[in-house]
Amino acid sequence: MSRPKIAILGAGYGGIMTATRLTKELGMNEAEITLVNKHNYHYQTTWLHEPAAGTLHHDRTRMSIKDVIDTNRINFVQDTVVSIDDANKTVKLENGELTYDYLVIGLGFESETFGIPGVKDYAFNIRSVDTVRKIKEHIEYQFASYNNEDNPSEGMLNIVVAGAGFTGIEFIGEMADRIPELCADFDVPREKVRLICAEAAPTVLPGFDEELVEYAVNLLERKGVEFMLGTPIKEVTEDSVILEEEEIKADTIVWTTGIRGNSIVENSGFETMRGRIKVESDLRAPGKDHVFIVGDCALIINEEINRPYPPTAQIAIQQSFTVARNLKTLINNGKLEAFVPEIKGTVASLGKGEAIGKVGNKKLYGATASAMKKIIDNRYLYLLGGIPLVVKKGKLKLF
Amino acid sequence: MSRPKIAILGAGYGGIMTATRLTKELGMNEAEITLVNKHNYHYQTTWLHEPAAGTLHHDRTRMSIKDVIDTNRINFVQDTVVSIDDANKTVKLENGELTYDYLVIGLGFESETFGIPGVKDYAFNIRSVDTVRKIKEHIEYQFASYNNEDNPSEGMLNIVVAGAGFTGIEFIGEMADRIPELCADFDVPREKVRLICAEAAPTVLPGFDEELVEYAVNLLERKGVEFMLGTPIKEVTEDSVILEEEEIKADTIVWTTGIRGNSIVENSGFETMRGRIKVESDLRAPGKDHVFIVGDCALIINEEINRPYPPTAQIAIQQSFTVARNLKTLINNGKLEAFVPEIKGTVASLGKGEAIGKVGNKKLYGATASAMKKIIDNRYLYLLGGIPLVVKKGKLKLF
């Protein structure tokens, strides 16, 4: 008797945790599990603002997939997904093809450019290990070049972060810490450097508690960050961002205005909203009884406020538990469970030893919030790889 | 009674050692000594191939000038020399002016481009802390960018070193060690990277013992270096070097074909050959009884072979001893001594733990030569700042 084939596309939070959970839910002979990923490593998307700023080595944010999955149970294929042909239950890869009975799509996000000219060509993204180490090295090159110029260009050391959402603010917090170090290392006066946050909305961190937001803005301003709120960007050029009424010269522009689902999903014929599939309550794609979506490609509405849940690691991880159980049920012909997100808390880091957050109804600031952020990060490592992974990759210095 | 004013321009090997020696030769009230330098630090020009490749932090190659000179005896001015008006015994600085009775010119070198088009615009130099950390960061940025490109350009990871002289070979040795580290750190297959040495002459390290040169070439080739000898470069473009019969794509071009004296000297009306003043035997400029030249701006002929001595740290340091004594004699109206270089040995490093050299008539290879190189480096630190400076900045791991 041949075992049903489960293919998991993407080894981000949702994908790798689904794979791991499946080995716990399913018996050895219940299914053949294949995990496909572009890289041979899994990385912590929610930590990427740190290697982007250069405050943490990128290796600290990634781990070999073979080290965290059970390779006796899961067949790992390192390849890039090109398209999904669900009619024929086939995935086209760059170097091959894969057939499946059940599919889990966890292909992650792309940066949302809103069609603004120049973003794709000139702005950096905080999306992967590859994109963030490029940001770090670019910024260091700018600093290293400065004293070689007789007349440095106006924007040479200016960094504009487009977007004051979670990723933007966390990156700014790290960068504000990093700039004085870069100035010392490369003999650059601090006043030659600008760190600007340009946001179209009138506030930072939409949805966050107002008091916490005020704390964050004050703290970051004290660290030298300039906020330009209610300031939509019209265009990005090689060396500037163009606003409604002015142009800011900047050789480093980091784009963090939001995300959309991986375009492979849309291009494969799934119906999407900003690249995300509005999933059924059991996390299946509408009309597809054998296709589950996890993570940033899944759109779930928060009925209380009639708006989508933000695409977070927390939700992706919770989804993986549901998907693994539902796959087990599906294979055994039972009734699938509905996914109910449980928002345990949200903490945004603001650089070394500083953060803001809410856990339950409790507001957290400063060192306490920062420690809580690290506990959350370590908790995920524990779920994925147990104590050994926490020891190896965890943030063990809480204060 | 007013003391005679001695101005020393440049705090390279020759300048800073002249300043240091003068405080030993002269009594407190014999002269007023001023040392002028662009930066507030002195650096080890002969170590710069290491921070250029990224195998040593640039701070290891530099030290605060105020930490190594006796500031009670020497007036340090951080400023950039614009020109010398010797008729009026005045030095024009970017932010002021300086008058002198005696002048010591130790303004160092510039890269010799031989007028080859594109070199000034597109090639990197190993000349100062500023120029070498730019090389390091540029190369790291190239590696960090590679995996972000769908179609990386052919020369993205190619490094061409123009010139197989001392600096070129020492940089290549470090870079050959560094490339495997960069490949590992940035997930780049080693075979995507080329390290090419293009040299117009038919051999590397002209003037070096043939057997040692062969050892060096074999060693570096085993480390993956491609030598293109007898291959003059016709032009450098933004992303290539153009040879007689082919074009090599390379986004990193490091120019090490030779040096000339600082153009300030020539532009100030001194008679020069390739920017260097052919000094009298007592190290004074011809026809100037109060102007001494040390280091790379001084041209001295080796009568044995009727060719100039190469501009080395070893000779610059020896000159500083003579100049300091001659200044003392001159102030006290005695007969000046002639400078006689004493070539104690020459060692070229070839990367970690590897070098070639000759000390006296003894040929050195491998670990022994590498240890000797470090001993020479430490010996200079001892001359300049005694044991404390050796402990602080020395290369203490000989093997």
Side-chain angles (χ1 to χ4, degrees):
Chain A
M1 200 190 95
S2 89
R3 298 176 296 169
K5 290 182 191 164
I6 302 174
I8 303 167
L9 308 184
Y13 291 113
I16 202 163
M17 278 301 294
T18 300
T20 302
R21 294 308 306 166
L22 277 175
T23 59
K24 302 209 184 337
E25 296 290 342
L26 297 176
M28 197 65 156
N29 296 312
E30 275 189 280
E32 187 186 325
I33 307 165
T34 302
L35 175 65
V36 182
N37 197 56
K38 185 178 174 179
H39 305 111
N40 63 3
Y41 55 85
H42 163 71
Y43 57 85
Q44 301 264 46
T45 312
T46 60
W47 298 20
L48 289 178
H49 53 284
E50 297 179 55
T55 50
L56 186 79
H57 192 277
H58 59 256
D59 280 342
R60 284 289 306 282
T61 70
R62 64 175 175 176
M63 55 213 77
S64 166
I65 288 172
K66 294 205 168 171
D67 284 354
V68 286
I69 62 170
D70 179 348
T71 50
N72 292 321
R73 301 286 306 277
I74 301 166
N75 174 30
F76 172 61
V77 176
Q78 187 184 345
D79 207 335
T80 301
V81 174
V82 176
S83 59
I84 301 159
D85 174 4
D86 188 54
N88 294 306
K89 294 194 173 176
T90 303
V91 178
K92 195 176 165 207
L93 306 173
E94 244 171 43
N95 306 301
E97 219 176 61
L98 192 70
T99 59
Y100 58 84
D101 299 303
Y102 302 99
L103 184 67
V104 180
I105 299 177
L107 287 169
F109 70 97
E110 291 175 5
S111 187
E112 175 63 272
T113 66
F114 302 106
I116 296 168
V119 176
K120 272 202 199 310
D121 289 335
Y122 303 120
F124 292 96
N125 288 305
I126 296 177
R127 198 187 64 236
S128 64
V129 171
D130 281 334
T131 68
V132 299
R133 59 190 170 190
K134 189 174 175 185
I135 297 176
K136 170 188 181 275
E137 297 300 340
H138 170 78
I139 291 172
E140 290 184 358
Y141 181 66
Q142 294 300 112
F143 275 81
S145 299
Y146 186 79
N147 281 319
N148 290 281
E149 298 290 324
D150 289 330
N151 296 299
S153 68
E154 193 189 329
M156 196 165 186
L157 301 178
N158 290 351
I159 300 165
V160 171
V161 178
F166 217 84
T167 305
I169 291 297
E170 289 200 312
F171 173 66
I172 286 168
E174 293 300 313
M175 207 61 234
D177 284 349
R178 181 77 178 126
I179 286 171
E181 292 174 13
L182 289 169
C183 287
D185 206 25
F186 293 103
D187 310 314
V188 170
R190 175 62 183 86
E191 66 271 18
K192 300 292 180 192
V193 187
R194 292 176 70 188
L195 177 57
I196 300 161
C197 177
E199 165 63 55
T203 56
V204 315
L205 292 172
F208 241 73
D209 176 272
E210 266 181 46
E211 200 184 337
L212 293 174
V213 167
E214 199 188 321
Y215 178 89
V217 169
N218 285 340
L219 178 82
L220 294 174
E221 283 184 338
R222 278 204 309 279
K223 287 189 185 187
V225 177
E226 301 170 49
F227 284 98
M228 303 182 76
L229 304 178
T231 312
I233 292 170
K234 296 290 157 196
E235 188 181 342
V236 172
T237 74
E238 198 178 349
D239 64 352
S240 73
V241 293
I242 298 171
L243 310 173
E244 207 115 319
E245 296 187 342
E246 61 173 318
E247 183 178 10
I248 304 175
K249 288 287 182 188
D251 285 359
T252 309
I253 298 149
V254 180
W255 201 258
T256 70
T257 59
I259 66 168
R260 48 182 294 125
N262 193 319
S263 54
I264 292 167
V265 177
E266 190 171 357
N267 296 339
S268 297
F270 289 89
E271 195 177 311
T272 64
M273 295 166 66
R274 290 176 60 184
R276 305 171 74 190
I277 297 172
K278 191 166 175 300
V279 291
E280 303 293 349
S281 64
D282 56 19
L283 296 176
R284 287 188 290 187
K288 311 272 188 190
D289 61 8
H290 57 287
V291 181
F292 292 86
I293 321 290
V294 288
D296 301 330
C297 292
L299 180 69
I300 303 170
I301 302 296
N302 182 344
E303 304 290 353
E304 281 177 38
I305 52 172
N306 199 30
R307 292 193 53 185
Y309 280 103
T312 65
Q314 184 176 188
I315 289 181
I317 294 160
Q318 290 176 10
Q319 288 171 334
S320 70
F321 281 72
T322 301
V323 167
R325 283 193 298 264
N326 278 349
L327 273 165
K328 182 185 174 70
T329 308
L330 198 56
I331 289 167
N332 297 296
N333 297 309
K335 188 171 161 9
L336 305 201
E337 67 178 77
F339 173 67
V340 184
E342 187 196 347
I343 308 301
K344 290 176 179 161
T346 314
V347 185
S349 79
L350 303 170
K352 193 169 162 56
E354 276 290 352
I356 52 170
K358 226 170 166 177
V359 176
N361 277 321
K362 200 169 160 47
K363 293 180 197 177
L364 303 175
Y365 302 83
T368 316
S370 173
M372 180 55 72
K373 178 88 179 171
K374 290 172 191 165
I375 289 166
I376 294 168
D377 289 341
N378 293 339
R379 163 88 181 142
Y380 168 67
L381 291 172
Y382 178 76
L383 282 176
L384 183 59
I387 295 288
L389 193 58
V390 177
V391 170
K392 200 167 163 195
K393 300 281 178 177
K395 294 182 172 172
L396 305 177
K397 267 185 84 173
L398 293 186
F399 292 97
Chain B
M1 202 187 98
S2 90
R3 298 176 297 168
K5 290 181 191 165
I6 301 174
I8 303 167
L9 307 184
Y13 291 113
I16 201 162
M17 279 300 294
T18 299
T20 301
R21 295 308 306 166
L22 277 176
T23 60
K24 301 206 183 343
E25 295 289 344
L26 297 176
M28 198 66 159
N29 296 311
E30 276 188 281
E32 188 186 321
I33 307 165
T34 302
L35 175 64
V36 182
N37 196 57
K38 186 178 174 178
H39 305 112
N40 63 2
Y41 55 85
H42 163 72
Y43 57 86
Q44 300 264 48
T45 312
T46 60
W47 297 20
L48 290 178
H49 54 284
E50 297 178 56
T55 50
L56 187 79
H57 192 276
H58 58 256
D59 280 342
R60 284 289 307 281
T61 70
R62 64 175 174 175
M63 55 213 78
S64 165
I65 288 172
K66 294 205 168 171
D67 283 354
V68 285
I69 62 170
D70 179 348
T71 49
N72 292 321
R73 301 287 306 278
I74 301 166
N75 175 31
F76 173 61
V77 176
Q78 187 184 347
D79 207 336
T80 302
V81 174
V82 176
S83 59
I84 301 160
D85 174 2
D86 188 54
N88 294 305
K89 295 193 171 178
T90 304
V91 178
K92 197 178 162 201
L93 306 174
E94 245 172 42
N95 305 301
E97 217 177 60
L98 192 72
T99 58
Y100 59 82
D101 299 303
Y102 303 99
L103 185 67
V104 180
I105 300 177
L107 287 168
F109 70 97
E110 290 175 6
S111 186
E112 175 64 272
T113 65
F114 302 107
I116 296 168
V119 176
K120 271 200 199 311
D121 289 335
Y122 303 120
F124 292 96
N125 287 304
I126 297 177
R127 197 184 67 233
S128 64
V129 171
D130 281 333
T131 68
V132 299
R133 59 190 171 192
K134 188 173 174 183
I135 297 175
K136 169 188 180 275
E137 297 301 339
H138 169 78
I139 291 172
E140 290 183 359
Y141 180 65
Q142 295 299 114
F143 275 81
S145 299
Y146 186 78
N147 282 320
N148 289 280
E149 299 289 324
D150 289 329
N151 295 298
S153 68
E154 192 189 329
M156 196 165 186
L157 300 178
N158 290 351
I159 300 166
V160 171
V161 179
F166 216 84
T167 305
I169 290 298
E170 289 200 311
F171 174 66
I172 285 168
E174 294 301 313
M175 208 60 236
D177 283 350
R178 180 76 178 127
I179 286 171
E181 292 174 11
L182 289 169
C183 287
D185 206 25
F186 293 102
D187 310 313
V188 170
R190 175 62 184 87
E191 66 270 19
K192 300 291 180 190
V193 187
R194 291 176 70 189
L195 178 56
I196 299 162
C197 178
E199 165 63 53
T203 56
V204 315
L205 291 172
F208 242 74
D209 176 273
E210 266 181 47
E211 200 184 334
L212 292 174
V213 167
E214 199 187 320
Y215 177 90
V217 170
N218 285 340
L219 178 82
L220 294 174
E221 282 183 341
R222 278 203 309 277
K223 286 190 184 186
V225 177
E226 302 172 49
F227 284 98
M228 303 184 77
L229 304 178
T231 311
I233 291 172
K234 296 290 160 197
E235 190 182 340
V236 171
T237 74
E238 200 178 349
D239 65 351
S240 73
V241 293
I242 298 171
L243 311 172
E244 207 116 320
E245 296 188 344
E246 62 173 317
E247 184 179 7
I248 304 175
K249 289 286 180 189
D251 285 359
T252 309
I253 299 150
V254 181
W255 201 258
T256 71
T257 60
I259 66 168
R260 47 183 295 128
N262 192 318
S263 54
I264 293 168
V265 177
E266 191 172 356
N267 296 338
S268 297
F270 290 88
E271 194 176 311
T272 65
M273 294 165 67
R274 290 176 61 184
R276 306 170 75 190
I277 298 172
K278 190 166 175 299
V279 291
E280 303 292 348
S281 64
D282 56 19
L283 296 176
R284 285 188 290 186
K288 311 272 187 189
D289 61 8
H290 57 288
V291 181
F292 291 86
I293 322 291
V294 288
D296 301 330
C297 292
L299 180 68
I300 304 170
I301 300 297
N302 183 344
E303 304 290 352
E304 281 175 39
I305 53 171
N306 199 29
R307 290 195 53 187
Y309 279 102
T312 64
Q314 184 176 188
I315 289 180
I317 293 160
Q318 290 175 9
Q319 287 171 335
S320 70
F321 281 72
T322 301
V323 167
R325 283 193 299 264
N326 278 350
L327 273 165
K328 182 187 175 71
T329 309
L330 198 57
I331 289 169
N332 297 295
N333 296 309
K335 190 173 163 358
L336 305 201
E337 67 179 76
F339 173 66
V340 184
E342 187 196 347
I343 308 302
K344 289 174 178 162
T346 312
V347 184
S349 79
L350 303 170
K352 194 169 160 55
E354 275 290 352
I356 51 168
K358 226 171 166 177
V359 176
N361 276 323
K362 196 167 164 50
K363 291 180 197 177
L364 302 176
Y365 301 83
T368 315
S370 173
M372 180 55 73
K373 178 88 181 172
K374 290 172 191 164
I375 289 167
I376 293 168
D377 289 340
N378 292 340
R379 162 89 180 139
Y380 167 67
L381 291 172
Y382 177 76
L383 283 177
L384 182 59
I387 294 288
L389 193 59
V390 177
V391 170
K392 200 168 165 193
K393 300 282 177 177
K395 294 182 171 171
L396 304 178
K397 269 184 82 171
L398 293 186
F399 291 97

